[in-house]
């Protein structure tokens, strides 16, 4: 598989759309971002691994006011894999209601299927120390 410029644009927009939908509370549109059987791994942040769209929506709702008010993504790097899949690595910045912020790295596997590009696996890694220290 060779990623076209159109594929790269679609994948980048897919990753960017996440912040808009979550921040706007449009959790019923998560199917536009993720496969139905998505694995959303927030183990590094103490939340375990979330399986499926319903569980992902429920986890976001359960966090309530602890959710960031702003999810921002940047530095998207795409790597082609076999079987209509792409690895995406990006940086996330979360802004909390109290003005504090945090940084994460998103490690995504993105698959192409009947509905186009969707994230099938996301691992969220908290950035706690500079220069790669964990």
């Amino acid at each position: 598989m060779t990623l076209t410029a159109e594929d790269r644009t679609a994948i980048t927009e897919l990753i960017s759309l996440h912040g808009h939908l979550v921040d706007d509370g449009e959790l019923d549109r998560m199917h536009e971002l993720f496969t139905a059987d998505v694995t959303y791994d927030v183990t590094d942040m103490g939340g375990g691994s979330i399986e499926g769209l319903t569980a992902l929506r429920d986890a976001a709702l359960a966090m309530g006011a602890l959710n960031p008010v702003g999810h921002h993504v940047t530095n998207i790097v795409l790597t082609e894999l076999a079987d209509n899949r792409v690895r995406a690595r990006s940086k996330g910045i979360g802004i909390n209601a109290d003005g504090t912020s945090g940084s994460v790295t998103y490690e995504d596997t993105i698959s192409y299927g009947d509905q186009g590009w969707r994230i099938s696996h996301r691992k969220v890694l908290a950035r706690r120390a500079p220069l790669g220290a964990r």
Side-chain angles (χ1 to χ4, degrees):
M1 171 181 119
T2 300
L3 282 178
T4 66
E6 291 81 12
D7 289 326
R8 288 181 176 278
T9 299
I11 293 167
T12 299
E13 288 186 6
L14 173 75
I15 293 168
S16 297
L17 182 59
H18 172 260
H20 291 286
L21 294 185
V22 173
D23 294 347
D24 292 343
E26 296 187 61
L27 302 178
D28 290 331
R29 293 180 58 195
M30 291 291 109
H31 65 278
E32 295 177 30
L33 306 173
F34 301 104
T35 60
D37 62 348
V38 65
T39 298
Y40 201 99
D41 184 352
V42 287
T43 303
D44 192 50
M45 300 179 73
S49 190
I50 302 163
E51 305 289 332
L53 288 174
T54 300
L56 184 56
R57 180 183 181 279
D58 291 348
L61 290 173
M63 283 184 61
L66 295 177
N67 280 291
V69 296
H71 291 78
H72 306 278
V73 68
T74 186
N75 300 54
I76 298 169
V77 178
L78 305 178
T79 304
E80 297 177 40
L81 302 173
D83 302 326
N84 291 325
R85 294 177 308 130
V86 171
R87 177 178 296 122
R89 193 159 191 243
S90 59
K91 305 298 280 181
I93 302 166
I95 309 299
N96 299 310
D98 66 1
T100 60
S101 63
S103 180
V104 299
T105 298
Y106 293 122
E107 293 181 350
D108 296 334
T109 301
I110 302 173
S111 306
Y112 188 82
D114 294 341
Q115 297 181 342
W117 292 104
R118 296 291 185 271
I119 300 168
S120 56
H121 187 274
R122 171 168 276 183
K123 185 173 188 175
V124 183
L125 300 169
R127 298 300 309 160
R128 295 184 179 96
L131 300 176
R134 299 212 43 88

